[in-house]
Amino acid sequence: MSEPAPAERSRSVRSELLILLGALGVGKAVVLASVYAARPVPDFLYLMSTRWDAAWFVTIARVGYTDLNAFVASPTTVTPLFPYAFAFPPFYPAVVNALSHMAMPDWFAALLAANVLSVLVPVVVYVTFGFRAALLMELFPTYLVYTTIPYSEALTLLFLSLAVLLALRGRLFASSGSLSLAFIGAYSMAWAGPSFALAFWKRIRRRTLLFYLLPLLAGGLVLYWFQSAAGSYLYYFTVENVHWHVSLSTPWDQAVWLAQRDHVGFWPFPGTWVTRNLPFEAFYAFGALYLLVSKLDNRVFLSTYSLSVILPLFLIIGGPAEAIPRLLMPAFPVFAAYAVPIRGRLLWGYAVVCLLLTVWVAMTQTLFFFS
């Protein structure tokens, strides 16, 4: 069978990208409709953009990290900005701040940044893993919700997906730079750094160590920023532990802690947060292991990278344990594994189920708390 002509292939790529854009648009419309159904008020977009973590990002973008007179209002508490804000990395607030200087409110700048960036992520995944993987990823409910409301996930995922694409193409320093930017957007991405050695070691051996120059520089800059702004290189860990009550644990201790938490909105099963998290954990963990038996090139790297995102989430208690469904999103290569069996009618079924789950996630996030 002959290869398609360049013009034919170009039309096919345009068609697939349009489908991806259209599907993402439908998913985001479902998110917005669900938020409006939960809070049917004229300013529902503003309310959606200033709840939970979004309120922190918007406030940091507006006044920075150390304003002693600033407070962040969430649906259940009013919290002083300082020192709690230092748990949130500066990259996304800096983007929002830059956009807000273009004659738009800061909450709208945050909303615009998240949604524009969320269109780019599936394109990168499409180039890396193909059409179905990109479609499966962008329709997943946590992706739809947390890249429509103004959280930092779209920014982090864009640079992570670029880092993986560039690593698969052997672009060491470009991949390293992308991973460094992802780390500045989400500090926990440092866990994924060692896995990238698997993408380069067979080709360049000890020169793989050069990959880590830029992430180490980025880490050093972050530590210097904490020292300059808060007076301690390790202030992030102090804030997380003392003020946000986050600490390391065993998976069992995490399960016990989650089981003792308050009721989960719209969740009819016993076990509260534990059983709410389990389907997401199982989906991502199975996908990461399924990558190992796939026929994808660099499957060991992709599986190890995904597991390096997934496994640390079982070793923590505090707010991040409640946010596990969202924090699993950087393990996006799992969708390349699922793209093999999910096709045809099964793909349609997957899309319908994802959109129904998106309604649940969006309404829970609006009326209670999801992540």
Side-chain angles (χ1 to χ4, degrees), residues 173-241:
F173 284 111
S175 176
S176 175
S178 294
L179 181 64
S180 301
L181 291 171
F183 167 71
I184 296 174
Y187 302 140
S188 60
M189 291 305 99
W191 288 106
S195 66
F196 279 79
L198 296 173
F200 296 102
W201 185 258
K202 285 185 177 180
R203 282 176 286 189
I204 59 176
R205 296 295 179 180
R206 293 181 181 178
R207 284 185 294 157
T208 299
L209 295 175
L210 296 174
F211 177 89
Y212 295 99
L213 292 177
L214 292 177
L216 287 172
L217 175 61
L221 291 173
V222 169
L223 292 176
Y224 177 76
W225 173 68
F226 276 116
Q227 173 65 30
S228 301
S232 170
Y233 290 110
L234 302 179
Y235 199 62
Y236 169 76
F237 300 101
T238 301
V239 168
E240 284 280 54
N241 182 253

Side-chain angles (χ1 to χ4, degrees), residues 30 135-136 139-142 144 335 348-361:
V30 170
L135 184 63
L136 295 178
L139 288 177
F140 201 72
T142 47
L144 287 176
F335 292 99
W348 284 101
Y350 173 91
V352 170
V353 170
C354 281
L355 292 177
L356 291 174
L357 290 174
T358 296
V359 174
W360 164 57
V361 174

Side-chain angles (χ1 to χ4, degrees), residues 91 113 116-125 137 143 147 152-166 178-179 181-182 330 332:
F91 196 1
V116 170
L117 292 169
S118 72
V119 176
L120 302 178
V121 178
V123 175
V124 178
V125 175
M137 186 212 66
Y143 184 83
T147 65
S152 63
E153 265 58 35
L155 180 66
T156 302
L157 284 170
L158 176 60
F159 286 105
L160 281 174
S161 59
L162 281 170
V164 170
L165 170 61
L166 293 165
S178 294
L179 181 64
L181 291 171
F332 64 91

